[in-house]
Amino acid sequence: QQSELNSFLWTIKRDPPSYFFGTIHVPYTRVWDFVPENSKKAFQQSHVVYFELDLTDPYTISALTSCQLLPQGKNLQDVLPRDIYCRLKRHLEYVKLMMPSWMTPDQRGKGLYADYLFNAIAGNWERKRPVWVMLMVNSLTEVDIKSRGVPVLDLYLAQEAERLRKQTGAVEKVEEQCHPLNGLNFSQV
C-alpha cells in the first residue's frame, strides 16, 4: 500500500513546516512509484526547495567534472598498477562494443547514439582519478545504460521545482563532495 511505505520524509515542526527528504542517485523512474504521496504532496506545497547540489547549474556540472581529474600531466596509466589498467581498458572496450545492443529503441528515437553516450559517460577516463573511474565503471551496466536520458531523482525534482517556479538552492558545494572522495588513498578505492 502506498500509504504504508516508508516515506524518507522528516517534518521539522515550525510554522510553516519544513521537510527533509532523503533521495537516491538513480533514475527517478526506478523509484518514483515508490515515493509515498505525503512526500510528493510536501514537495508540491513547498515554495522553497534545497538540494544536495544544484544539478541545474552549469558551474556545478563543470566543477564536478574538473574535480574528477588527476593533477595536470598525470594519467590513470601513471597511477594504476599495469594489470588493473589493462583490465580496465579491455573492459571499457567491451562496454563500447556492447553499448549499441544495450540501448533502447526509445533512446535511439530521441537521437541518442551509442558512441555519443559512451563518450558522455566514459570520455576522458584516462585523466580521471581512480575513485571516479570506479564509480563510472559501476554505472556502465546494461541496466544503467538503458535508463540513460532519464534524470536521477535529485535532478528530476530540481527540474520540477524550476518548472513550478519554486525558489531553489543547494546545501553543499561541489568541493564538499569532491575533496572527501579525492582524499581516499588507492587501497581504500
Side-chain angles (χ1 to χ4, degrees):
Q1 280 284 61
Q2 176 82 337
S3 61
E4 295 172 14
L5 293 173
N6 180 350
S7 67
F8 304 103
L9 180 74
W10 288 264
T11 302
I12 301 167
K13 293 184 178 162
R14 54 181 295 257
D15 190 24
S18 290
Y19 302 97
F20 186 79
F21 179 67
T23 59
I24 185 169
H25 297 280
V26 298
Y28 85 94
T29 52
R30 284 195 201 165
V31 295
W32 191 247
D33 291 343
F34 303 99
V35 174
E37 287 305 318
N38 67 337
S39 300
K40 292 176 181 176
K41 185 177 177 185
F43 177 78
Q44 288 296 327
Q45 292 177 344
S46 67
H47 300 288
V48 181
V49 183
Y50 280 84
F51 298 94
E52 184 178 12
L53 292 173
D54 183 356
L55 297 176
T56 63
D57 179 13
Y59 168 79
T60 299
I61 303 307
S62 173
L64 273 172
T65 302
S66 295
C67 88
Q68 295 177 16
L69 299 178
L70 287 162
Q72 193 64 35
K74 287 265 190 195
N75 287 314
L76 200 55
Q77 192 170 6
D78 303 328
V79 297
L80 284 183
R82 181 164 169 67
D83 63 322
I84 292 177
Y85 178 82
C86 290
R87 283 177 48 207
L88 172 63
K89 190 170 181 173
R90 279 194 311 273
H91 179 69
L92 292 176
E93 288 166 358
Y94 162 78
V95 168
K96 188 171 186 172
L97 184 70
M98 294 304 295
M99 200 171 269
S101 67
W102 291 351
M103 293 184 65
T104 66
D106 187 49
Q107 288 171 316
R108 285 189 205 90
K110 291 179 181 170
L112 274 179
Y113 295 94
D115 283 346
Y116 169 81
L117 196 52
F118 181 83
N119 287 330
I121 300 167
N124 211 17
W125 67 270
E126 293 185 82
R127 288 272 305 118
K128 290 185 179 184
R129 295 172 185 267
V131 68
W132 298 101
V133 171
M134 178 194 66
L135 294 170
M136 176 196 77
V137 167
N138 286 338
S139 73
L140 285 171
T141 64
E142 183 174 358
V143 169
D144 280 354
I145 295 306
K146 285 183 182 311
S147 63
R148 284 294 169 146
V150 176
V152 293
L153 182 58
D154 305 44
L155 179 57
Y156 171 74
L157 290 171
Q159 289 170 337
E160 277 297 291
E162 279 191 349
R163 186 181 69 78
L164 297 169
R165 291 185 165 71
K166 295 177 184 292
Q167 182 182 335
T168 63
V171 295
E172 287 186 9
K173 293 180 171 53
V174 169
E175 297 75 24
E176 293 170 310
Q177 291 212 343
C178 278
H179 292 307
L181 285 173
N182 287 347
L184 296 173
N185 65 40
F186 186 74
S187 66
Q188 291 168 317
V189 174

